[in-house]
């Protein structure tokens, strides 16, 4: 099928950047990114410095494509109707209630998309799972589509996204691989070909892998689990290093030089954050349990448990340094984003570490170069379940690093470039949780 119009449902961290790159590389295709959130769409259409997603290089791509062949709107029905290809790029958070709560992926948003697609489709569609989904979700999507629309033929493909935040545009330009899963039928293979033809505009053919839908869906969960596993492995060893006097960064370097192991994702840190690693591993654990693979489930669950342990262990170090009492202590938290070069704070280690410090009596000055003040306030109110402390001035969100000057100790969480050479008074105490190799004194206290 010749693709002239694409619709992407979900204008978030995946939908916005991926579609802007497809629009840039495929000027012959019109792309409509739709979202139910009017404020977000307004921001995508608004000033280039205030896009809802901060990513290096994104604004340049948006400037070239927006209102040329890339459009953002809340007009879901019309854009579904006119597209030949529809990407589903909505959020798939961990379920908070019902069967599988705390573990399984919440597919409410994906199912709502499938119902909308069925309702507004008048011609054949290729429907693409871009969101990260449990294996065999395509079956459920197909069921919704077919039972709600008997006149149109739907082909479902899985095309998981592997971009990392902070390097999304670079990752999309030079993907390690693009994975496409589809049915082994004539129409399934034709649908795969249509998507391959889009990626072929800038990705080398050898890097475009095709497989069946289930393998593609599971590859995404497995890929995130393997990456996160490496971080938990090195973080677990960081605890042993501290007991034995070994240096975790040098250990990581020594291990990583073995080409069979490799050096990536072996930087010890205060714990991984981000909206996906924890959620995807819990989802994998749930799937293993569902299929009765309890030992396999426990193996992967341990990756998340070590991550929680690491965040708590780091906070406890600060508390121990002050002899178990943070009352009256003023602590600067440097970095709220879950990693550098993003404005995303979802599941950031900063949220957990700061909560522990605050609940042990500390007052906090929080500074991040890109995360908006209102996001930090929302995180605190929603996740710590406290309401009044902002008024009590026990938590201060500051707009400049200099405003943290009067603090007793500095807790550095995010590896922002501007924190690399910050000038902190020699007398102050620094707890450094960043995952940068140059930092020799990880978890060091004092200078
Ligand atoms: P996000 O929360 O940033 O964006 C999702 C958007 O979908 C939101 O703007 C929301 O308003 C919209 N939405 C939800 N339901 C809708 C509906 N029925 N109709 C219209 N709009 C709807 O999420 P994200 O970070 O972009 O992640 C999306 C998916 O991609 C998830 O499954 C995630 O696991 C996966 N993923 C994320 C990343 C990442 O770096 N964030 C990378 C790879 C894969
Ligand atoms: C991760 C994967 O890297 C992407 O391939 C995937 O597409 C994405 O999840 C997703 O599915 O959402 P992301 O979470 O954006 O990307 O960022 P990463 O670079 O993977 O970092 C995740 C966390 O691990 C950060 O908190 C980072 O600081 C931490 N980290 C990373 C370490 O602690 N040590 C390391 O060596 C590397």
């Amino acid at each position: 099928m010749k693709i002239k119009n694409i619709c992407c449902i979900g204008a978030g961290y995946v939908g916005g950047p991926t579609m802007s790159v497809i629009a840039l590389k495929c000027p012959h295709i019109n792309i409509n990114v739709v979202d139910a959130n009017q404020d977000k769409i307004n921001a995508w259409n608004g000033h280039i410095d205030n896009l809802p997603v901060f990513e290096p290089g994104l604004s340049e791509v948006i400037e070239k494509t927006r209102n040329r062949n890339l459009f953002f709107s809340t007009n879901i029905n019309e854009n579904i109707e006119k597209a030949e290809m529809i990407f589903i790029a909505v959020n798939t958070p961990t379920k908070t209630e019902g069967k599988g709560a705390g573990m399984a992926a919440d597919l409410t948003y994906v199912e709502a998309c499938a119902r909308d697609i069925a309702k507004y489709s008048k011609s054949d569609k290729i429907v693409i799972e871009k969101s990260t989904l449990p294996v065999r979700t395509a079956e459920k999507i197909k069921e919704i589509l077919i039972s709600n629309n008997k006149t149109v033929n739907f082909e479902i493909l899985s095309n998981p996204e592997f971009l990392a935040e902070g390097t999304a545009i670079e990752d999309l330009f030079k993907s390690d691989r693009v994975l496409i899963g589809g049915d082994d039928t004539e129409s399934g293979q034709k649908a795969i070909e249509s998507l391959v033809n889009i990626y072929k505009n800038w990705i080398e053919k050898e890097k475009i892998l095709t497989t069946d839908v289930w393998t593609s869906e599971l590859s995404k969960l497995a890929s995130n689990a393997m990456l996160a596993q490496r971080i938990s492995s090195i973080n677990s060893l960081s605890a042993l290093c501290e007991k034995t006097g070994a240096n975790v960064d040098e250990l990581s370097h020594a291990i990583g030089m073995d080409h069979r192991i490799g050096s990536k994702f072996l930087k010890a840190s205060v714990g991984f954050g981000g909206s996906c690693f924890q959620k995807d591993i819990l989802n994998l654990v749930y799937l293993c349990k569902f299929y009765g693979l309890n030992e396999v489930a426990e193996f992967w669950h341990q990756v998340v448990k070590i991550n929680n342990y690491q965040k708590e262990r780091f906070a406890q170090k600060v508390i121990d340094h002050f002899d178990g009492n943070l009352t009256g202590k003023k602590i600067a938290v440097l970095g709220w984003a879950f990693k550098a070069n993003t404005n995303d704070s979802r599941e950031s280690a900063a949220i957990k570490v700061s909560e522990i410090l605050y609940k042990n009596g500390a007052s906090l000055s929080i500074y991040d170069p890109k995360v908006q003040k209102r996001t930090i306030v929302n995180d605190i109110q929603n996740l710590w379940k406290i309401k009044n402390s902002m008024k009590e001035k026990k938590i201060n969100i500051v707009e400049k690093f200099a405003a943290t000057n009067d603090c007793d100790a500095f807790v550095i969480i995010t590896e922002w470039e501007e924190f690399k050479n910050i000038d902190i008074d020699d007398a102050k105490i620094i707890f450094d949780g960043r995952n940068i190799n140059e930092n020799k004194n990880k978890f060091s206290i004092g200078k």
Side-chain angles (χ1 to χ4, degrees):
M1 190 192 291
K2 184 107 181 103
I3 306 299
K4 294 199 198 92
N5 289 291
I6 288 178
C7 171
C8 172
I9 312 179
Y13 282 87
V14 166
T18 49
M19 292 304 127
S20 69
V21 168
I22 297 182
L24 184 75
K25 302 291 183 181
C26 307
H28 54 287
I29 302 178
N30 269 334
I31 303 185
N32 283 284
V33 186
V34 295
D35 201 290
N37 182 331
Q38 182 72 59
D39 290 344
K40 200 173 273 192
I41 291 299
N42 291 347
W44 279 113
N45 285 323
H47 196 281
I48 203 72
D49 292 335
N50 296 321
L51 297 176
V53 171
F54 170 74
E55 275 295 336
L58 174 65
S59 54
E60 287 83 347
V61 177
I62 294 284
E63 270 185 320
K64 286 187 187 139
T65 52
R66 192 170 59 180
N67 300 328
R68 178 190 79 177
N69 63 330
L70 177 70
F71 306 91
F72 293 94
S73 81
T74 51
N75 198 344
I76 298 176
N77 49 358
E78 198 177 292
N79 285 306
I80 286 177
E81 196 187 321
K82 72 177 182 210
E84 299 94 26
M85 187 176 262
I86 301 167
F87 285 83
I88 300 179
V90 298
N91 37 329
T92 49
T94 305
K95 268 179 113 172
T96 52
E97 50 190 39
K99 195 166 170 246
M103 284 282 188
D106 181 351
L107 299 180
T108 319
Y109 306 100
V110 172
E111 288 166 7
C113 292
R115 278 193 295 277
D116 275 349
I117 295 170
K119 189 167 168 192
Y120 300 117
S121 291
K122 294 190 181 127
S123 54
D124 292 355
K125 308 285 178 204
I126 298 170
V127 177
I128 301 174
E129 299 175 342
K130 191 49 126 174
S131 297
T132 302
L133 296 168
V135 57
R136 300 199 83 90
T137 303
E139 216 162 47
K140 196 176 262 178
I141 295 179
K142 188 144 205 169
E143 202 179 286
I144 296 174
L145 292 172
I146 293 174
S147 60
N148 290 288
N149 187 328
K150 308 243 181 308
T151 53
V152 163
N153 180 51
F154 296 104
E155 256 337 298
I156 321 252
L157 300 180
S158 159
N159 172 223
E161 185 48 62
F162 295 102
L163 68 79
E165 288 180 32
T167 52
I169 299 300
E170 203 184 312
D171 294 344
L172 289 163
F173 281 170
K174 292 188 182 163
S175 306
D176 284 347
R177 77 320 207 169
V178 164
L179 183 61
I180 303 172
D183 283 345
D184 194 16
T185 54
E186 202 188 326
S187 54
Q189 293 301 306
K190 275 194 180 149
I192 290 180
E193 199 189 323
S194 303
L195 189 53
V196 169
N197 284 340
I198 290 175
Y199 283 112
K200 259 187 4 201
N201 284 292
W202 77 101
I203 304 284
E204 297 109 274
K205 215 169 161 253
E206 306 71 57
K207 286 187 174 177
I208 306 177
L209 310 180
T210 59
T211 182
D212 61 85
V213 180
W214 316 138
T215 308
S216 173
E217 288 176 336
L218 190 55
S219 299
K220 173 62 195 176
L221 290 186
S223 173
N224 273 1
M226 293 291 279
L227 289 168
Q229 171 271 122
R230 287 173 65 95
I231 304 170
S232 279
S233 294
I234 197 70
N235 280 345
S236 73
L237 290 168
S238 75
L240 187 58
C241 283
E242 286 164 42
K243 291 283 183 205
T244 57
N247 180 311
V248 70
D249 292 320
E250 289 175 15
L251 178 100
S252 161
H253 186 59
I255 301 170
M257 277 186 74
D258 184 330
H259 74 278
R260 295 169 305 174
I261 297 174
S263 61
K264 302 275 167 61
F265 275 71
L266 278 187
K267 290 179 189 165
S269 65
V270 60
F272 60 75
S275 62
C276 295
F277 277 174
Q278 176 175 298
K279 130 180 119 60
D280 292 347
I281 294 175
L282 292 175
N283 189 356
L284 187 66
V285 171
Y286 181 77
L287 276 168
C288 293
K289 284 195 176 154
F290 177 82
Y291 288 106
L293 302 171
N294 293 328
E295 289 77 4
V296 184
E298 194 41 47
F299 173 78
W300 288 111
H301 205 175
Q302 203 57 33
V303 173
V304 173
K305 288 182 188 170
I306 285 287
N307 199 48
N308 291 335
Y309 163 77
Q310 186 77 343
K311 288 184 267 186
E312 284 160 17
R313 198 170 75 79
F314 181 75
Q316 193 58 45
K317 274 180 165 293
V318 183
I319 299 168
D320 289 349
H321 178 80
F322 290 104
D323 297 325
N325 188 4
L326 297 180
T327 311
K329 296 287 178 256
K330 209 166 170 193
I331 297 181
V333 175
L334 301 185
W336 195 258
F338 80 92
K339 64 184 284 200
N341 292 321
T342 176
N343 60 345
D344 191 350
S345 65
R346 291 176 291 181
E347 300 294 341
S348 170
I351 299 175
K352 188 69 202 167
V353 169
S354 311
E355 180 184 9
I356 296 173
L357 300 179
Y358 170 79
K359 289 186 175 166
N360 275 275
S363 46
L364 305 176
S365 281
I366 301 168
Y367 169 66
D368 187 280
K370 282 288 172 201
V371 181
Q372 289 190 349
K373 187 172 177 172
R374 71 158 192 265
T375 305
I376 301 178
V377 171
N378 283 343
D379 287 342
I380 291 173
Q381 290 183 339
N382 298 336
L383 301 168
W384 300 5
K385 310 261 184 271
I386 53 162
K387 287 262 177 272
N388 300 323
S389 315
M390 318 298 251
K391 288 190 201 121
E392 291 163 17
K393 290 263 179 234
K394 280 200 73 182
I395 303 173
N396 211 356
I397 299 160
V398 300
E399 289 184 3
K400 282 197 170 65
F401 164 66
T404 60
N405 249 343
D406 60 338
C407 289
D408 302 297
F410 290 76
V411 170
I412 314 177
I413 306 261
T414 317
E415 65 275 31
W416 280 108
E417 189 65 26
E418 71 170 80
F419 296 162
K420 274 194 181 159
N421 300 309
I422 40 172
D423 188 19
I424 299 175
D425 185 338
D426 272 351
K428 298 288 168 80
I429 300 153
I430 302 171
F431 299 86
D432 197 338
R434 294 171 293 182
N435 58 62
I436 49 172
N437 272 334
E438 301 91 303
N439 170 32
K440 293 279 184 231
N441 297 316
K442 191 159 299 291
F443 301 133
S444 65
I445 44 176
K447 288 181 108 182

